[in-house]
Amino acid sequence: MHNDAPQTPTEVLDAGTCWDLLRGVSVGHLAVLVDGYPEVFPVNFKVDQQSVVFRTGEGTKLRAAGGPLAVALEADGHDTSQAWSVLVKGRAVILDPSEELLTGAGLTLFPWQAGEKDHFVRIVPTAVSGRRFTITSPLTWWNHVGHAAGRGTA
């Protein structure tokens, strides 16, 4: 199944645009390795300078993020005609709750889930990448689904 409609090329975003887009959203997906397998957690985050900070409690996410392996955070968004996705790869550092942190990014970082979220984690990026593309009308795909369903029937 493929899309025969004219396609607008996917735009590869520069780092500055990626950071600007990340500043406009507050929820992303944190990817970590746990026992050799990827796990993904939704997190509320804030951009702080050229890094990402989130809060969490004790548990799998904190243990994995505080380990020696790289992590990734993905966030995306859309409007009526375009969608975008940004990926931040790097190392996670568990922060001490300093005055600077608590009056900066930590001041407005409110997790959605109740409970103790006393740990702040910063993702120090080694790579930031993103892309933006035009959203295709669902009717473009509907035609292909209808044709595919009719194949092989008498």
Side-chain angles (χ1 to χ4, degrees):
M1 196 178 331
H2 56 84
N3 179 358
D4 294 329
Q7 293 183 357
T8 306
T10 298
E11 177 187 2
V12 176
L13 303 174
D14 61 52
T17 302
C18 290
W19 288 115
D20 288 344
L21 289 168
L22 288 173
R23 283 183 189 92
V25 296
S26 63
V27 177
H29 295 94
L30 175 72
V32 296
L33 282 175
V34 177
D35 297 328
Y37 292 94
E39 292 212 19
V40 178
F41 299 91
V43 293
N44 300 84
F45 70 89
K46 287 287 184 183
V47 173
D48 184 35
Q49 306 293 326
Q50 297 288 309
S51 67
V52 174
V53 176
F54 65 92
R55 289 174 74 163
T56 190
E58 294 288 338
T60 303
K61 186 184 342 169
L62 182 64
R63 282 190 303 276
L69 301 175
V71 301
L73 179 117
E74 183 273 342
D76 47 43
H78 66 88
D79 59 24
T80 57
S81 63
Q82 291 190 317
W84 59 267
S85 179
V86 171
L87 182 64
V88 177
K89 297 177 189 177
R91 298 278 180 202
V93 178
I94 299 172
L95 303 172
D96 292 325
S98 68
E99 184 71 28
E100 178 184 355
L101 174 66
L102 296 176
T103 58
L107 180 65
T108 57
L109 190 53
F110 302 111
W112 287 358
Q113 186 180 23
E116 291 186 26
K117 308 286 185 186
D118 297 335
H119 301 281
F120 289 84
V121 179
R122 180 184 307 277
I123 299 174
V124 179
T126 55
V128 178
S129 61
R131 63 191 191 114
R132 182 171 21 220
F133 56 92
T134 301
I135 297 172
T136 302
S137 167
L139 295 177
T140 301
W141 298 105
W142 183 259
N143 292 336
H144 290 288
V145 171
H147 286 55
R151 292 186 188 145
T153 58

